[in-house]
Amino acid sequence: MVDGILLAGTGKNKKLVRDIQVSGIPVTQVIRIQDDTLSSVTVDYVKCGYEAVTYLYGRGSLHPGLITGSLKLSPYKFRYQGYKKALEELVLQEITSEARGFTNSLEYGYQATLQMLKEHPELDAILAAMDAQGIGAMRALKEQKKRVPRDVRGISLTGHELGNMLETTMTTLEMPARIIGRKAAQLVLEQIEAKDKASIPIQHVVYDSALIERESA
């Protein structure tokens, strides 16, 4: 009974979602791109990962580690590509977590940080894919007697207002969530209102994240 759908992730349902679009119900993807044949509104994840490394490098970090998730998911994959590109340009060593289980959690950020510290005691910065991972990472650092940001700097690659409420406020790269939502709704409405839906071109709109400097870095 809906006229259009804004979709924040299709998982393994690419064919089903495409069938919905073909049936005449407009679909716009938000945050993740699972199907290039459907319109989308996202952020530049490659630039996000790249900018975080170069920012930390400028603050003196030479051993930045990335807490990542499944590289089958576009946000993780593209952030890793940006991280990797910056490392190659700066001639730095790659330090990444091993994606296991549910990665969008405090516990995963905590365990991933302990893993990276054990394997790379020289670790001096952490890039967390999102605030939840970053909070878990900061807890692990505190338990290991690592001072933030003096010993290890931290940055979240998907920040929200939560990072500003922590004991040590978290530096973040924040996506323009309201703008993304507004643009996605606009794309769907254009398709709904079009007399000839086939005449509406597929659009892939990409926004930049904004660096918000706080105490953790």
Side-chain angles (χ1 to χ4, degrees), residues 5-147:
I5 297 174
L6 276 67
L7 193 64
T10 63
K12 299 180 180 179
N13 298 314
K14 181 186 293 187
K15 183 180 184 302
L16 174 60
V17 175
R18 189 177 295 178
D19 288 344
I20 291 173
Q21 172 94 344
V22 171
S23 74
I25 300 176
V27 178
T28 293
Q29 302 168 102
V30 182
I31 306 303
R32 296 180 183 176
I33 300 178
Q34 300 289 338
D35 191 332
D36 290 335
T37 68
L38 304 176
S39 290
S40 65
V41 185
T42 63
V43 297
D44 190 337
Y45 295 112
V46 175
K47 184 177 179 180
C48 179
Y50 180 89
E51 184 178 354
V53 174
T54 55
Y55 168 76
L56 292 168
Y57 181 80
R59 305 286 286 180
S61 296
L62 300 177
H63 306 283
L66 173 65
I67 300 178
T68 187
S70 172
L71 298 184
K72 294 179 180 179
L73 299 178
S74 56
Y76 286 121
K77 178 176 70 174
F78 294 136
R79 287 191 198 100
Y80 172 75
Q81 289 177 1
Y83 167 78
K84 186 73 171 176
K85 179 182 178 183
L87 293 184
E88 291 173 351
E89 290 183 4
L90 298 170
V91 194
L92 302 179
Q93 177 188 12
E94 177 181 334
I95 302 174
T96 56
S97 63
E98 182 180 351
R100 289 183 292 187
F102 182 63
T103 58
N104 299 350
S105 68
L106 302 167
E107 179 64 20
Y108 177 71
Y110 175 84
Q111 294 296 341
T113 300
L114 293 180
Q115 171 211 330
M116 291 193 297
L117 283 172
K118 180 179 180 181
E119 297 175 357
H120 300 277
E122 72 278 13
L123 182 77
D124 61 9
I126 290 178
L127 293 74
M130 58 194 60
D131 282 357
Q133 293 177 351
I135 293 170
M138 291 174 71
R139 178 64 186 179
L141 292 172
K142 184 175 182 179
E143 288 185 2
Q144 296 299 309
K145 310 300 182 185
K146 299 289 186 179
R147 296 166 296 178

Side-chain angles (χ1 to χ4, degrees), residues 128-195:
M130 58 194 60
D131 282 357
Q133 293 177 351
I135 293 170
M138 291 174 71
R139 178 64 186 179
L141 292 172
K142 184 175 182 179
E143 288 185 2
Q144 296 299 309
K145 310 300 182 185
K146 299 289 186 179
R147 296 166 296 178
V148 178
R150 183 173 297 181
D151 299 324
V152 181
R153 300 183 186 277
I155 187 168
S156 168
L157 304 184
T158 311
H160 300 286
E161 294 180 358
L162 175 64
N164 197 36
M165 301 301 291
L166 303 176
E167 180 179 357
T168 300
T169 57
M170 190 181 303
T171 296
T172 64
L173 281 155
E174 298 189 4
M175 63 175 63
R178 292 182 180 275
I179 295 174
I180 289 172
R182 188 179 301 117
K183 183 61 177 180
Q186 178 187 337
L187 294 183
V188 168
L189 288 172
E190 288 176 357
Q191 295 179 70
I192 292 172
E193 295 170 355
K195 293 182 179 179

